[in-house]
Amino acid sequence: MSRFNIFRVPFALVVLGGCVIVSLAVWALGRSAKCSAGAVPHDNVLADTVSKVVSGYPGEIGVAIIIGNTDTVVVNNKSIYPMMSVFKVHQALAVCNDFDNKKLSLDTLLTVKRERLDPQTWSPMLKEHPEPVISLRLEDLLRYSLIQSDNNASNLMFKDWVGVAQTDSFISTLIPRSSFQIAYTEEEMSADHDKAYANYTSPLGAAMLMNRLFTGCVVSGGKQRFIMNALKECMTGKDRIAAPLLGEEGVEIAHKTGSGYVNGNGELAAHNDVAYVCLPNGVCYTLAVFVKDFKGSEAQASQAISRVSAVVYAYLTQAF
């Protein structure tokens, strides 16, 4: 049986088979959905099916689904899942908010000496810019960070523009404080893998933020559209939430992945994906799947996420 949490936020909760179906009274979820199908009549089928899927894997898997900006199904929802690079969405929003306040544009330039960058971390940016002094706009850094999950791009924005504490503080104005924490940069997590567990989220917290990005107003229109479009171009983790949706006519997906280290117990610390999906039948949904302390390979963890995605997709295409 899957575990569940009851949050101190204005949600109406119905417990079904160890899962939770949440009717969102609205806690910063945005005021108008772009392609909401309106109120969605849910039963326990989706919650029970997702619960059975995740219970068959050797690790803790948490899932949150927000459907039509109205109802949410939550399985194994705790604020314990390492975000890894999923937090680059949080960072992008915090940077854009700060630049809005300072009346700075996406063309704002950052010049950095190559020697400041980490040659050992994942960084397509570093490979594409061999010059000793690199000049990149905010737009370029955000694209590297969101589309290719570039760690050097993320580290630079934390160091030179908007720090970790400021990012954490801003996100707490958008989603419940208890649902997440951002404490360390990619650089700090690389130096000490255990610190990844301090950058945590609940599946619902991550889903709420992604849902708000696509259905509400978080930062200025131009910057918000830029972030949304970048997530639609995300190149990482196509074997996760996107896998059962690829090739399906009329399906639109924007997402951000996060991948973790192998911990001291030989487990995969984290393997995540958060997506906003619109179907041709007019239903839009946000899906967050977080895998923690997984006793298997990355391919198996991706398969678990893909199976959850397939279940949600099948339910929402057949039910409406």
Side-chain angles (χ1 to χ4, degrees), residues 45-118:
V45 174
L46 181 57
D48 286 347
T49 304
V50 169
S51 182
K52 289 174 183 176
V53 168
V54 302
S55 66
Y57 286 91
E60 187 152 9
I61 303 177
V63 180
I65 313 151
I66 301 174
I67 306 165
N69 204 32
T70 305
D71 295 328
T72 300
V73 176
V74 181
V75 176
N76 290 337
N77 192 61
K78 294 181 180 180
S79 299
I80 58 171
Y81 296 90
M83 279 192 277
M84 304 310 299
S85 288
V86 167
F87 82 160
K88 288 168 181 168
V89 176
H90 304 58
Q91 179 184 31
L93 289 170
V95 170
C96 286
N97 175 71
D98 184 68
F99 274 45
D100 281 343
N101 293 335
K102 295 174 179 175
K103 301 188 185 307
L104 297 173
S105 74
L106 291 170
D107 289 331
T108 301
L109 200 65
L110 176 67
T111 299
V112 58
K113 292 182 179 179
R114 186 181 179 84
E115 62 195 39
R116 286 186 61 198
L117 305 179
D118 182 0

Side-chain angles (χ1 to χ4, degrees), residues 194-214:
D194 286 343
K195 288 182 176 178
Y197 287 89
N199 280 1
Y200 60 75
T201 188
S202 67
L204 182 57
M208 288 175 72
L209 186 67
M210 183 70 85
N211 193 75
R212 232 197 132 172
L213 169 62
F214 279 86

Side-chain angles (χ1 to χ4, degrees), residues 191-305:
D192 181 355
H193 292 178
D194 286 343
K195 288 182 176 178
Y197 287 89
N199 280 1
Y200 60 75
T201 188
S202 67
L204 182 57
M208 288 175 72
L209 186 67
M210 183 70 85
N211 193 75
R212 232 197 132 172
L213 169 62
F214 279 86
T215 66
C217 297
V218 184
V219 295
S220 62
K223 291 185 177 71
Q224 186 157 330
R225 285 190 297 273
F226 176 85
I227 295 172
M228 293 162 63
N229 288 332
L231 293 173
K232 292 176 183 177
E233 298 177 39
C234 180
M235 298 170 62
T236 60
K238 292 185 178 180
D239 58 348
R240 303 182 202 181
I241 290 176
L245 308 178
L246 295 175
E248 294 294 338
E249 186 176 354
V251 176
E252 296 181 357
I253 177 171
H255 71 118
K256 183 69 192 80
T257 59
S259 302
Y261 312 101
V262 175
N263 64 24
N265 297 321
E267 302 163 332
L268 188 60
H271 203 72
N272 314 319
D273 203 0
V274 184
Y276 187 78
V277 182
C278 280
L279 305 180
N281 64 5
V283 174
C284 290
Y285 61 95
T286 305
L287 172 60
V289 187
F290 284 80
V291 179
K292 175 177 179 283
D293 296 342
F294 190 77
K295 300 177 182 66
S297 67
E298 287 192 353
Q300 291 170 320
S302 291
Q303 181 194 60
I305 297 172

